[in-house]
Structures are given as C-alpha cells and as structure tokens.
Amino acid sequence: MKETVKSTVLLLLILCSLVQSYFLIYRLPGNNPVVKSESDYVKTDNMGAEMKAEELVYPAEMIVHMGSGKHTIFYPGSTFYKLINTRLQGRLFGGFQRYDTSGMNWNTIRKQNEGIELRFGAGVPVAMLQKVMQISNDLMLQEETINRILIYNVKSEDKVRAFFFSSRGGAVYEAKSADLTVQDVRQQVGFGREWTPSYTLMDSGYYVPDTKIGALEVTLKTGVFTTDQMQKSLFADPSITRNIREKDGSEIYTDIKRSLQFKQNQNWINYTDPAASGGTDNNIGKNALSAVEFVNQHGGWDNTAGSSYRMEVTSEAEFSGDSKRRQDLVTFQQYYKSLPILDLDAFHYGVMRLDMHQGMVTSYERSLIYTRSMDMGKTVKRQLPGGKELAALVNKAAKDRTVSWLYPAYQPLLTGEELQLQPVWVLVFSSGEKQILQQGF
C-alpha cells in the first residue's frame, strides 16, 4: 500500500514538473515560444513606424501639359498634386493594347495636347499600382513595371488616350477603356494654368522652369538606432553572433549564415543573407510586398511629420554558377515634404534598398539615423535657379552627355546631432548617372 502511494506521489511530481517546464518554455498564456527557429526574426520594439504598401506608391512628379508647348510640374504634397492624384485614383483603366514606343513622337504629343503625366522614377510593379489605382487585371501586365502614365486629350478630337510606359523600355500599353472624358482631363489641366512657374520641355525629355522656384532649407534634430537594436532585430539569437572588425573601421556581426555590417562613420548598415530562398514563385509584385513587410519588422520607417517614402522597383539578372536568376531591387526613397533626400557617396542616407528573390530578402541596406518628430525643424527660404541661368548650369555640367531628367531634391549634411537638408537641382543622365548642380543662393 505504501509503495503504491509513493509511486502515485512520484508520478504527480513528475507531471507537475513537466507542466511547469511547458509553461516556462512557451510562456503561456499567449503560446509564444522562447525558442525560435533559425529562419525567424525578432521584431525590435521602439524603432521606426510601420507603413502600408499603398502609402509608398505615388508619382515622383506630376507634369501638366497645357498645349502650345506650355507645361508645369506639381511635386508630392502640393494641393493640386493631391487633388489630381485623388481624382485619377477613382478612374478605371482597362482593355490594354501593347505598342512599340518608337511608333509615336511623344515629345510632340506632350507639346501639342492637353494632358496629365505621372512619373514614377525607375518604375513600380503593376501589382503595386493596382493598390492605389483601378487598373484591370491583364496577363500582359502581370510582371510589368510602369515608370510613366500619360493621359491626354487628342487635339481637335473628342477623345482621351491613356498610355502606361514599361520601365524596361520599348513597350507602351494603351488603356482602350479609360474611364475619363475630355472634360475630366480639361478640368485637371486647368489647375496648372494658374500655377507658376511654367516649364519648357527640352529635346531629350527633361523640363526647365522658366523662372526661379522657391524651396526651403531645413535643419532637423536626429537620433541613431543602436548596434544592439539592429542585432536583436535581424538575428534570431544575437548571443551566438561573432564580431569582426575590418581595416576600414567597419564592424561585421555574423551567425555564419547571415552577416550585418556596420559602417560607423556613416551610420549605415548592410545586412546580407545569401542563403535566403523561398519557393519557385518569383513574382515581382509579391517581392515588393515582402520588402515592405520586412522593413516594417526590421527597423521601420522614419515617422517624423513631413517625412514619407516612395517605392521604386528594378529587376536584373544575376548569375550563380551556370544558372541565371532574376533579382528584384526594391528601393524606398525618403522624402521630406515635397522633395526627395539624396543618398550620397560621402554620406549614405535617404534610401533603403532590399534585394529580393522569391519573396525573401538577400540584402538590406539602410541608415541608422532617424529624425526626432518632437523637434520642429528650422527652416530658411531659398530659391533655386531657373530659366537661362539654370539652362547654362545644365549645359556646363552635361558637356556631351544626354540629360534625361532634372529635378529638385535635398542634399543632406550631418553636423553633430542635426541634419541639414539643402535644396539643390539634380541631373540624371541617360546612363543613369546622377550629378548635383552646384549653385549659390
């Protein structure tokens, strides 16, 4: 009898021990295990804000064509930009037909007809555009990225045409069933008629304002994410990482599979996971969505008042041994108010870059610097050159190179705990090279 009681008590003690161990390991209630798999990441608290994909898709600039060679440009955040963009988002585009871009003289169309043109920089996947615009599903567009949308009234005809330009070049898609009337386009163009300055379209496709344009020089207070925060965010178990110091002063943390490089003099990180792979689906739209979610979970976004980000996606072939695979580069360009912030060789800031393959991140670059939303920025009114003065600066800088784009941006400068954003003109050449136009105020 005594032996039976002892056995029963011993069994109960063993069961209680097992239950206690279960609670310690899995932290009930909540069912969140302490032990993580190698592929898991740990979300770090108190870093940047989260954003939705649709908040990151918008044009870099909106060009209003008024006919007779007259144009103006609205930049993100301006009243007319937001008004026109909202109206276009409510229209349906479908019935697409593919053409070769060389079949039409696009500069002549822009000069002679009234219309609106949206420019998306390097390009945005159609799947992302469908989150902010009513674009019908079409097999031709599934894997396309669009860098421009041109909507215009055909001169002397009661007809609207809408074209979506492939960022890969060579192809343009016309929406034959665009839900727009001539009067709709005319009303939107009307917003530009009272706006100054007007712009002149140059032969190679860029625009020069006829007069100077106003801009603000801004100074913001900054903070810096710590090495510990990023380690906890990107490694399942930071305690097993080893530290390597490079000759250039940078530090690398690695758990053998992944590596995280800190460039201390630039407050810049480069995270790589070369072994990352997903399934067989390498859809460009899904890669873009996965990139947004990755940033949400690993560092987040600067949520300072006036700060925003715009998505661009480019694809390139990558060779691994004898095989070739497609790698999608997702870039998030940071803005302050209406202007983008430049990423410079001497001071990396203003962008996040993610290499994506089959929905997985193989490389992630970003700044550790963030601006403090509770500190109001100091502002000084400036004027960027225009007209003949600007045209002379462009010609001097370009020399024999072809200019494809001219736009205003912020050149960042870090001084202590302050970030100064100085407005400048930026040239983009047909080769993709960028150059800041140096000018005085």
Side-chain angles (χ1 to χ4, degrees):
M1 182 68 178
K2 288 182 178 180
E3 293 300 321
T4 303
V5 172
K6 287 181 179 179
S7 299
T8 302
V9 171
L10 182 60
L11 180 61
L12 288 172
L13 288 171
I14 292 171
L15 288 173
C16 288
S17 177
L18 290 172
V19 170
Q20 187 179 35
S21 297
Y22 180 87
F23 272 68
L24 287 171
I25 293 173
Y26 290 91
R27 292 184 176 180
L28 294 175
N31 295 325
N32 293 319
V34 173
V35 179
K36 299 283 185 178
S37 70
E38 289 184 350
S39 62
D40 285 340
Y41 295 104
V42 181
K43 181 181 178 181
T44 303
D45 295 327
N46 302 320
M47 293 184 74
E50 294 189 10
M51 296 187 74
K52 297 178 181 178
E54 48 268 35
E55 297 177 86
L56 306 166
V57 180
Y58 54 89
E61 61 186 22
M62 184 178 293
I63 306 163
V64 180
H65 305 296
M66 294 173 283
S68 302
K70 295 181 179 179
H71 318 267
T72 196
I73 298 179
F74 297 137
Y75 297 103
S78 67
T79 300
F80 290 142
Y81 173 103
K82 291 188 285 188
L83 184 58
I84 294 173
N85 204 36
T86 299
R87 290 190 177 189
L88 290 178
Q89 288 175 353
R91 302 299 183 176
L92 177 64
F93 299 89
F96 288 94
Q97 187 169 334
R98 186 181 188 278
Y99 301 101
D100 192 297
T101 54
S102 62
M104 301 176 75
N105 189 325
W106 299 104
N107 275 0
T108 299
I109 289 172
R110 293 181 177 101
K111 290 177 180 179
Q112 293 182 351
N113 302 281
E114 294 181 335
I116 302 292
E117 186 167 3
L118 312 181
R119 187 163 188 166
F120 292 91
V124 181
V126 171
M128 292 296 99
L129 279 177
Q130 287 174 324
K131 290 186 171 296
V132 296
M133 298 181 72
Q134 297 185 51
I135 301 172
S136 65
N137 291 320
D138 193 301
L139 290 176
M140 285 192 299
L141 299 177
Q142 275 188 347
E143 283 293 295
E144 272 290 5
T145 55
I146 301 299
N147 62 5
R148 281 182 293 154
I149 299 175
L150 175 61
I151 301 166
Y152 66 93
N153 289 337
V154 180
K155 191 175 182 180
S156 304
E157 293 184 39
D158 187 21
K159 183 180 180 181
V160 177
R161 302 190 76 174
F163 292 92
F164 290 63
F165 291 78
S166 170
S167 58
R168 295 165 189 170
V172 60
Y173 301 88
E174 182 176 9
K176 290 290 189 179
S177 58
D179 179 27
L180 282 162
T181 67
V182 169
Q183 190 58 33
D184 290 332
V185 176
R186 191 166 292 149
Q187 287 178 350
Q188 293 166 14
V189 170
F191 297 133
R193 296 196 184 281
E194 304 302 321
W195 192 256
T196 55
S198 60
Y199 286 69
T200 299
L201 174 59
M202 311 305 285
D203 291 340
S204 60
Y206 68 98
Y207 295 82
V208 175
D210 296 337
T211 58
K212 293 182 178 182
I213 67 169
L216 292 176
E217 181 177 292
V218 183
T219 302
L220 302 169
K221 296 290 185 181
T222 63
V224 180
F225 293 133
T226 66
T227 301
D228 186 57
Q229 282 179 299
M230 293 310 301
Q231 272 189 275
K232 287 179 179 178
S233 176
L234 292 165
F235 292 104
D237 185 0
S239 66
I240 66 171
T241 61
R242 55 190 292 256
N243 173 265
I244 303 169
R245 185 174 291 275
E246 298 286 273
K247 291 181 179 179
D248 62 0
S250 65
E251 287 187 286
I252 297 176
Y253 292 81
T254 179
D255 62 359
I256 299 180
K257 290 187 176 181
R258 308 177 180 98
S259 69
L260 176 62
Q261 183 179 26
F262 289 85
K263 297 182 178 180
Q264 299 293 353
N265 61 326
Q266 296 177 325
N267 292 308
W268 184 260
I269 64 161
N270 188 344
Y271 166 80
T272 56
D273 187 0
S277 62
T280 57
D281 187 5
N282 197 30
N283 180 277
I284 192 169
K286 291 181 180 178
N287 279 342
L289 282 173
S290 295
V292 175
E293 186 58 28
F294 189 90
V295 175
N296 279 338
Q297 299 298 319
H298 309 296
W301 317 81
D302 194 329
N303 63 348
T304 304
S307 181
S308 62
Y309 293 82
R310 184 178 57 80
M311 175 191 290
E312 293 186 4
V313 183
T314 55
S315 298
E316 58 184 31
E318 184 179 85
F319 291 89
S320 179
D322 295 329
S323 62
K324 182 176 74 172
R325 69 177 190 175
R326 194 193 77 215
Q327 193 90 345
D328 293 329
L329 173 62
V330 183
T331 302
F332 298 109
Q333 171 66 65
Q334 186 174 359
Y335 277 67
Y336 185 77
K337 303 293 186 181
S338 294
L339 303 183
I341 303 173
L342 296 174
D343 175 39
L344 308 173
D345 290 337
F347 175 43
H348 283 301
Y349 184 77
V351 298
M352 300 182 198
R353 297 188 185 92
L354 297 93
D355 283 322
M356 306 294 302
H357 181 67
Q358 295 178 346
M360 302 294 287
V361 176
T362 60
S363 174
Y364 176 39
E365 293 182 80
R366 66 170 295 156
S367 176
L368 297 177
I369 298 169
Y370 61 89
T371 53
R372 298 184 183 277
S373 57
M374 69 288 293
D375 297 321
M376 296 299 292
K378 304 174 188 175
T379 59
V380 179
K381 291 183 179 180
R382 301 294 191 189
Q383 282 197 319
L384 291 173
K388 293 181 179 179
E389 180 186 0
L390 178 56
L393 288 170
V394 171
N395 291 334
K396 182 179 178 181
K399 298 179 181 176
D400 296 329
R401 294 173 292 181
T402 301
V403 178
S404 60
W405 195 7
L406 173 69
Y407 64 93
Y410 279 123
Q411 179 177 359
L413 175 65
L414 188 65
T415 55
E417 294 185 355
E418 290 188 334
L419 180 70
Q420 186 181 63
L421 302 177
Q422 185 180 65
V424 292
W425 282 111
V426 180
L427 283 177
V428 181
F429 301 105
S430 57
S431 62
E433 179 190 356
K434 293 181 181 179
Q435 181 174 330
I436 296 172
L437 284 183
Q438 299 296 338
Q439 70 270 331
F441 292 104

